[in-house]
């Protein structure tokens, strides 16, 4: 190694040590970036919430907490606009929470539902969302068992915010853990990425761009069910690729398991309208939110069966193996670009698309 | 998008997108479709007669400068220039042409090039003795801290809606960022083109809407056209805080720098669509360095590097145009004319890390003074010295690599940038941090 590359390696090693330090939340105020699911969110969670609340179940930082064989999770929905091609806030509120349970390996059982409504909201809009919630819950096989309603003055919220809390039962076939990834494991995605975030962004009409893109909001339990059947204990971990997209999901898991990952860019399914809209807006679809895409990490011997099972689940026909877990450099996700080079794919910084869920 | 970690940057829009004209909407606006067929409104005033079916190169919602040649080829435009097999062939030719043992340092001037190089891993395909040095062509990176403070001060004026490109929101001034100003209550809105800002002004007639204009000659025509529109339609509540800059003066300043060690330049493609190739002729003539004006796809860059190397190996020294499919030698006379009408050169303008450079910045001309935010509002105009620890200047000059900066990646990161090079995804430091942060010789196992 030349003297320069040695110095560069030392500089990089120092950076990795700095990155490995426990996150400290030092910001003077909350900015939109804290809600974007990227680095600022991670700092907020690890630097403020975990030190205050962090029991064993929370420290796992899974999509749901596990207590006595039950999975519990909660999520608030503030999407703007409340209706967009392919879905609406009500449908999202059911599927988002159901999916957090599903990727924790839990069969969704029941939801609670809280509304914050803006004074002046039309009854028609509310009725439409109630119907959307009812039909999404029926489709996902969960019951709404409790709820709450608050109304705030006009201008104090944007139409409506919805919070759902979900309860699920851990599936006996599942032995999932965020820190269980091993070198050689295969990385699967369940379908074409970036659809939801792109659809909502275009529905806002801020960009004077239109494209035939619909939200992919759906329950992922059938996909998880199929994966558990096919791979059982070989299924290491699942992640719902919502805010921050597939890139953030991979980075979080790479850090939790202290492993490296290599993603083959050409293997990642992206539909042309999404790729085109993202190209024009200068966004990488790997960072765009999904509401019906999961990332699965599977032991290599079970990967082919898992992929076949996944592809048979509704909405997952385009499921693909996109990469592999490696040993070194730990905590880092690398991309083999379609052009033949390599680069790092880091956690999202900043907030490309606020309030997409 | 905040042009965030990934994401090439519309801000600077030294990225252009190829779009096909669907229909003409009149008033210099055309409805165009991108590679995916998604329609968008584009200003086409500068490209001469446009017909449905034509292919345009679009930056920041303004189709500036030039029409791509060959409409039929357009739909596959992007894929063709990202072909991995062709990339390997070109990389082989580069290996074959370089003299072993000789070190080649080539600067890509434009931030869009820097971004492409890292995003596609282009430098992975180059031999070890060919080094790409990242130059000063990221317009976000060259904005001095004092101008950001001025912007924040305007944003806090009651009644003002302050509009800017996403990247500028995260650039730290001496007293925080526009993003933090927004969190404290200032009405700061991200826009994708100056036309968006003008639309906000029309929709909010009781508010003052200020557009924070940044960029080289690539984006300046879009700003100029928007100002022409605002003046013609009489939108009295719209104004522009101009931070537009020109490309040639900083290059000359760079070449005069005694610590510069460069063998040649990859010239800025989209700036050249406006100014043409001729303004760069002083580089070979006065300084003896070859220049190849390059496109923005990975194959463009590989080919341009090859062309620079070939000049060096053959002992030639001239301006060559790899991007001839869009860059005419004389640039775009219509765009230059609108720049001439709307802007005038400032006597001097401060550049981050490079100091004051004469005749390098654009302000609104006397005819457009009524739309000049610097005249409409009280601007503090305080100078803020660059942070001592930050070596943005040396990075911008290519004197040091990003990782050689004392604070790179430790105190200065994309989430907490000290220097502007770490903010924009086109900045050399951010590109290196986000994409290149692994030792090249280290195998992934």
């Amino acid at each position: 190694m030349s003297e320069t590359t040695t110095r560069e390696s030392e500089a990089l090693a120092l950076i990795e040590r700095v990155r490995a330090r426990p996150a400290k939340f030092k910001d003077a105020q909350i900015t939109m970036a804290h809600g974007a699911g990227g680095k600022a969110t991670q700092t907020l969670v690890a630097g403020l919430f975990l030190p205050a609340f962090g029991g064993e179940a929370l420290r796992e930082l899974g999509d749901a907490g596990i207590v006595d064989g039950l999975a519990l999770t909660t999520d608030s929905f503030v999407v703007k606009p409340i209706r967009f091609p392919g879905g609406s806030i009500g449908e999202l509120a059911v599927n988002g929470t159901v999916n957090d349970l599903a990727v924790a390996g839990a069969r969704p059982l029941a939801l609670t539902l809280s509304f914050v409504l803006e004074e002046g909201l039309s009854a028609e809009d509310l009725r439409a969302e109630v119907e959307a919630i009812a039909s999404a819950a029926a489709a996902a096989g969960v019951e709404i068992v409790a709820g709450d309603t608050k109304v705030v003055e006009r201008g104090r919220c944007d139409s409506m915010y919805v919070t759902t809390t979900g309860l699920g039962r851990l599936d006996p076939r599942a032995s999932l853990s965020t820190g269980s990834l091993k070198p050689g494991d295969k990385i699967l995605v369940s379908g074409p990425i970036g659809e939801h975030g792109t659809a909502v962004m275009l529905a806002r009409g801020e960009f004077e761009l239109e494209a035939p893109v619909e939200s992919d909001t759906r329950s992922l339990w059938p996909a998880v069910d199929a994966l558990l059947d096919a791979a059982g204990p070989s299924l290491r971990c699942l992640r719902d690729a919502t805010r921050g997209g597939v890139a953030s999901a991979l980075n979080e898991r790479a850090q939790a398991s202290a492993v490296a990952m290599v993603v083959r860019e050409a293997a990642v399914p992206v539909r042309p309208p999404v790729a085109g809209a993202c190209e024009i807006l200068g966004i990488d679809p790997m960072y765009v939110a999904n509401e019906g895409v999961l990332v699965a990490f599977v032991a290599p011997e079970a990967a082919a069966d898992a992929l076949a099972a996944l592809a048979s689940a509704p909405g997952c026909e385009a499921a693909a193996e996109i990469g592999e877990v490696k040993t070194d450099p730990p905590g880092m996700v690398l991309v083999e670009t379609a052009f033949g080079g390599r680069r790092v794919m880091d956690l999202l910084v900043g907030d490309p698309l606020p309030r997409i869920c | 998008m905040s042009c965030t970690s990934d994401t090439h940057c519309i801000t600077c829009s030294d990225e252009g997108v190829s779009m096909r004209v669907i229909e003409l909407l009149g008033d210099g606006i055309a409805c165009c479709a991108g590679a995916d067929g998604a329609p968008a409104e584009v200003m086409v005033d500068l490209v001469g007669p446009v017909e449905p079916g034509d292919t345009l190169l679009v930056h920041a919602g303004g189709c500036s400068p030039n029409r791509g040649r060959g409409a039929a080829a357009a739909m596959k435009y992007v894929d063709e220039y990202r072909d991995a097999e062709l990339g390997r062939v070109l990389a082989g030719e580069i290996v074959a042409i370089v003299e072993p043992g000789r070190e080649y340092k080539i600067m890509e001037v434009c931030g869009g090039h820097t971004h492409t190089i890292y995003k596609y891993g282009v430098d992975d395909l180059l031999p070890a003795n060919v080094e790409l040095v990242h130059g000063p062509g990221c317009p976000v990176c060259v904005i001095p801290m004092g101008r950001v403070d001025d912007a924040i001060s305007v944003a806090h004026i009651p009644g003002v809606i302050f509009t800017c490109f996403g990247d500028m929101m995260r650039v730290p001034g001496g007293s925080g960022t526009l993003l933090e100003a927004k969190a404290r209550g200032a009405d700061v809105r991200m826009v994708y083109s100056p036309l968006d800002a003008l639309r906000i002004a029309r929709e909010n007639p009781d508010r003052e809407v200020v557009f924070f204009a940044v960029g080289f000659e690539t984006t300046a025509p879009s700003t100029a056209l928007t100002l022409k529109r605002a003046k013609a339609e009489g939108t009295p509540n719209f104004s522009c805080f101009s931070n537009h800059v020109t490309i040639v003066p900083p290059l000359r300043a760079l070449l005069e720098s005694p610590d510069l060690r460069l063998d040649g330049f990859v010239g800025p493609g989209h700036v050249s669509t406006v100014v043409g190739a001729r303004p760069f002729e002083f580089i070979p003539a006065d300084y003896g360095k070859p220049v190849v004006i390059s496109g923005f796809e990975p194959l463009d860059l590989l080919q341009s590097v090859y062309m620079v190397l070939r000049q060096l190996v053959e002992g030639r020294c001239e301006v060559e145009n790899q991007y001839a499919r869009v860059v005419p030698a004389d640039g775009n006379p219509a765009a230059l004319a609108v720049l001439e009408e709307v802007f005038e050169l400032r006597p001097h303008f401060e550049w981050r890390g490079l100091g004051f450079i004469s005749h390098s910045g654009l302000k609104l001309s006397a005819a457009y003074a009524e739309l000049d935010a610097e005249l409409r509002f009280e601007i503090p105009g305080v100078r803020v010295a660059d942070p001592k620890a930050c070596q943005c200047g040396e990075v911008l000059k290519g004197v040091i690599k990003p990782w050689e900066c004392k604070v790179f990646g430790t105190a200065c990161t994309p989430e907490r940038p000290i220097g502007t090079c770490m903010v924009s995804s086109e900045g050399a430091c951010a590109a290196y941090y986000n994409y290149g942060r692994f030792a090249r010789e280290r195998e992934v196992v």
Side-chain angles (χ1 to χ4, degrees), chain A residues 49-67:
Chain A
F49 299 155
L50 271 189
F53 313 132
E56 205 178 315
L58 186 62
R59 289 211 170 268
E60 173 86 357
L61 288 180
D63 291 277
I66 308 296
V67 184

Side-chain angles (χ1 to χ4, degrees), chain B residues 33 37 40 56 68 71 74 85 92 111-112 241 246 253 291 335 340 362 388 396 412:
Chain B
L56 304 171
E85 191 45 49
F241 179 46
T246 57
V291 178
E340 181 74 30
L362 298 175
K388 276 207 177 61
L396 287 175
C412 181

Side-chain angles (χ1 to χ4, degrees), chain A residues 1 4-5 7-9 11-12 14-16 18-19 26-27 29-32 39 206-211 262 272-273 276-277 279-284 287 326-330 332 334 337-344 346-352, chain B residues 1-2 4-8 10 17 19 34 36 38-41 82-84 87 118-122 124-125 170 179-180 182-184 190 192 196 199 298-299 302 403-404 408-410 414-416 432-435 437-442 444-445:
Chain A
M1 255 197 285
T4 312
T5 53
R7 283 198 300 125
E8 182 176 11
S9 298
L12 294 175
L14 173 63
I15 291 168
E16 290 316 308
V18 169
R19 285 168 63 90
K26 290 185 288 200
D27 300 302
Q29 69 246 311
I30 293 302
T31 66
M32 295 304 287
K39 261 182 199 164
E206 289 167 11
F207 306 121
E208 291 170 0
L209 254 180
E210 287 168 34
V262 174
E279 174 91 21
I280 287 173
L281 296 173
I283 302 169
D284 183 344
Y287 291 93
K326 304 273 189 179
T327 307
D328 192 61
M332 205 176 270
L334 296 171
T337 72
F339 190 64
R342 287 178 303 170
R343 63 173 159 89
V344 174
D346 208 344
L347 272 174
L348 182 70
V349 173
D351 188 358
Chain B
M1 58 233 70
S2 93
T4 51
S5 53
D6 156 65
T7 79
H8 71 239
I10 282 197
V17 180
M19 301 188 93
D36 58 328
E41 288 188 2
R82 295 179 186 173
D83 186 280
Y118 280 110
K119 181 170 179 194
Y120 295 94
V122 172
D124 241 18
L125 301 175
R170 298 197 302 120
L179 195 64
E180 286 160 6
K182 179 172 184 272
R184 284 197 298 269
M190 187 170 81
Y192 284 79
D196 290 347
R199 181 173 47 79
L299 276 181
L302 270 185
W403 58 265
E404 291 177 289
F408 176 80
T410 50
E415 58 267 38
R416 271 176 201 288
Y432 183 88
Y433 188 92
N434 288 325
Y435 291 146
R437 201 186 62 242
F438 62 100
R440 295 277 156 186
E441 75 285 355
R442 181 170 169 183
V444 182
V445 291

Side-chain angles (χ1 to χ4, degrees), chain A residues 83-94:
Chain A
R83 273 193 292 281
F84 41 84
S88 68
I89 191 168
E91 194 177 350
L92 214 55
V94 172

Side-chain angles (χ1 to χ4, degrees), chain A residues 262-318:
Chain A
V262 174
V263 173
R264 290 183 305 279
E265 194 174 50
V268 178
V270 187
R271 289 197 313 119
V274 171
C278 287
E279 174 91 21
I280 287 173
L281 296 173
I283 302 169
D284 183 344
M286 295 294 279
Y287 291 93
V288 177
N290 310 282
E291 288 294 337
V293 172
L294 60 75
V295 181
F297 302 91
V298 194
E301 63 277 9
D305 289 347
L307 182 60
L310 187 57
S312 68
C316 300
E317 297 78 12

Side-chain angles (χ1 to χ4, degrees), chain B residues 22-298:
Chain B
I22 300 171
E23 64 172 310
L24 300 176
L25 304 176
D27 196 25
I29 303 276
C31 178
C32 295
D36 58 328
E41 288 188 2
V42 172
M43 290 189 283
V44 293
D45 312 45
L46 295 182
V47 290
V50 169
E51 288 174 22
D54 282 354
T55 304
L56 304 171
L57 184 68
V58 179
H59 317 257
C63 168
S64 0
N66 264 285
R67 268 200 251 195
R69 294 187 188 157
M75 288 339 244
K76 295 190 68 189
Y77 183 85
V78 160
D79 287 347
E80 281 167 13
Y81 290 94
R82 295 179 186 173
D83 186 280
E85 191 45 49
L86 282 174
R88 273 189 288 275
V89 171
L90 258 176
E93 287 179 22
I94 287 172
V95 171
I97 199 176
V98 296
E99 295 168 24
R102 178 171 169 188
E103 300 279 324
Y104 301 89
K105 275 194 172 192
I106 300 169
M107 172 176 279
E108 85 278 2
V109 173
C110 174
H113 287 156
T114 305
H115 187 80
T116 299
I117 287 163
Y118 280 110
K119 181 170 179 194
Y120 295 94
V122 172
D123 51 349
D124 241 18
L125 301 175
L126 295 176
N129 56 336
V130 177
E131 185 187 329
L132 294 178
V133 177
H134 317 307
C138 161
V140 170
C141 303
V142 299
I143 299 292
M145 295 175 83
R147 295 296 278 185
V148 177
D149 285 352
D150 288 346
I152 290 170
S153 152
V154 174
H156 276 302
I157 295 173
V160 163
I161 299 175
F162 195 82
T163 60
C164 69
F165 294 135
D167 271 11
M168 282 312 304
M169 293 180 76
R170 298 197 302 120
V171 175
S175 56
T177 65
L178 281 162
L179 195 64
E180 286 160 6
K182 179 172 184 272
R184 284 197 298 269
D187 193 345
V188 181
R189 302 190 192 176
M190 187 170 81
V191 291
Y192 284 79
S193 94
L195 264 189
D196 290 347
L198 182 58
R199 181 173 47 79
I200 291 171
R202 282 191 214 113
E203 290 167 1
N204 297 274
D206 54 336
R207 306 278 301 274
E208 280 287 339
V209 176
V210 182
F211 176 63
F212 188 10
V214 297
F216 287 92
E217 288 94 334
T218 334
T219 44
S222 291
T223 305
L225 284 178
T226 304
L227 287 166
K228 272 191 84 160
R229 252 163 223 284
K231 190 175 174 187
E233 73 188 23
T235 310
N237 60 326
F238 180 75
S239 62
C240 171
F241 179 46
S242 173
N243 290 271
H244 281 300
V245 286
T246 57
I247 189 72
V248 167
L251 284 180
R252 198 176 275 281
L254 203 67
L255 284 156
E256 288 292 335
S257 166
D259 44 3
L260 193 76
R261 306 237 186 297
L262 292 174
D263 299 299
F265 289 87
V266 171
H270 291 160
V271 166
S272 303
T273 61
V274 176
V275 301
R278 295 200 212 292
F280 301 103
E281 280 169 0
F282 76 97
I283 299 177
D286 300 351
Y287 298 94
K289 314 274 187 201
V291 178
V292 176
I293 291 167
S294 176
F296 290 81
E297 295 298 333

